Amino acid sequence: GAVVSQHPSWVICKSGTSVKIECRSLDFQATTMFWYRQFPKQSLMLMATSNEGSKATYEQGVEKDKFLINHASLTLSTLTVTSAHPEDSSFYICSARTSGAPYEQYFGPGTRLTVT
Amino acid sequence: GDSVTQMEGPVTLSEEAFLTINCTYTATGYPSLFWYVQYPGEGLQLLLKATKADDKGSNKGFEATYRKETTSFHLEKGSVQVSDSAVYFCALNRYAAGNKLTFGGGTRVLVKP
């Protein structure tokens, strides 16, 4: 149990285009999901906290207009990278937190974005 | 703010060697502590956790004890296998901080046959 999926697992897009990444909790409900960014050989940086039915909370320094987050249901959150640039190329990882105690977080397998 | 510091890698070991990865933390209150593992090309998996002082988390032969007096949560395994090659992340969260995870920098471990 407690599986989180991400789609796509790998995407290449051209500069200036937008790309959407989906994060799904497959067998549990997640009121809260988190989006992280991971640079090569580095740790995870929390980008934003996504709450079902409300606006996402962004960490300091993360552009909310560039990284659009929508959490429309208890099992789905999406991250849209708008007007992508090569510096947005990274590994994006989501996690979903169970709605009840003990509030465990389960991580998706990640999405590798390459912007050319 | 909260922070986690772990030893830098890479750590290269031979099979059946003893592994220790040091992790110390700074946090107010009473955080929960975690070790996550990331295999090549994959997302993070929870390896073990401890929620209060003196708790020992264990899984797959790995162990870590929550030491509040030294603010540490060192990861150990007595006999590593090639399949343990991965990146290991120490992390903490606090209920008062919305349970957001704070990660250490990660330690890459390479086990050679």
Side-chain angles (χ1 to χ4, degrees):
Chain A
V3 177
V4 176
S5 70
Q6 281 185 242
H7 178 79
S9 57
W10 180 56
V11 59
I12 300 175
C13 70
K14 293 185 176 181
S15 288
T17 61
S18 296
V19 61
K20 179 185 287 187
I21 302 169
E22 293 186 348
C23 176
R24 293 181 185 273
S25 57
L26 298 185
D27 49 4
F28 65 98
Q29 294 185 333
T31 306
T32 302
M33 292 183 176
F34 301 91
W35 286 96
Y36 297 86
R37 186 171 178 176
Q38 185 180 29
F39 293 99
K41 299 184 179 181
Q42 294 189 27
S43 189
L44 281 74
M45 180 192 78
L46 179 64
M47 299 174 65
T49 302
S50 167
N51 295 296
E52 187 267 337
S54 64
K55 291 184 178 180
T57 303
Y58 291 82
E59 296 299 302
Q60 192 171 10
V62 178
E63 299 176 60
K64 63 178 68 175
D65 293 330
K66 180 168 187 60
F67 298 99
L68 300 180
I69 291 173
N70 184 280
H71 193 155
S73 77
L74 288 172
T75 59
L76 173 65
S77 176
T78 60
L79 168 68
T80 301
V81 182
T82 63
S83 187
H85 290 127
E87 56 265 32
D88 299 324
S89 299
S90 192
F91 196 52
Y92 292 88
I93 300 175
C94 74
S95 71
R97 190 173 75 193
T98 55
S99 296
Y103 303 105
E104 296 274 4
Q105 273 192 51
Y106 297 92
F107 286 80
T111 296
R112 183 162 301 285
L113 170 64
T114 301
V115 184
T116 60
Chain B
D2 297 343
S3 67
V4 178
T5 303
Q6 59 182 106
M7 59 190 289
E8 289 189 22
V11 175
T12 303
L13 303 164
S14 297
E15 213 165 16
E16 299 184 1
F18 185 87
L19 171 67
T20 298
I21 304 176
N22 290 337
C23 171
T24 57
Y25 68 90
T26 301
T28 56
Y30 303 94
S32 294
L33 303 175
F34 305 82
W35 276 101
Y36 285 87
V37 58
Q38 184 178 32
Y39 298 103
E42 299 183 14
L44 274 69
Q45 300 175 27
L46 177 64
L47 182 59
L48 53 84
K49 69 176 183 179
T51 58
K52 61 183 187 295
D54 299 325
D55 268 3
K56 177 185 283 188
S58 61
N59 186 27
K60 298 181 181 179
F62 290 89
E63 292 184 341
T65 301
Y66 189 144
R67 301 288 189 198
K68 191 165 180 62
E69 64 275 15
T70 55
T71 61
S72 65
F73 193 54
H74 304 322
L75 182 69
E76 298 181 336
K77 185 173 184 180
S79 178
V80 294
Q81 305 299 313
V82 173
S83 56
D84 294 324
S85 297
V87 181
Y88 294 82
F89 292 93
C90 186
L92 67 82
N93 73 6
R94 291 188 295 116
Y95 178 79
N99 282 326
K100 291 189 291 187
L101 283 165
T102 299
F103 286 92
T107 302
R108 184 175 299 275
V109 173
L110 176 60
V111 180
K112 295 186 174 180

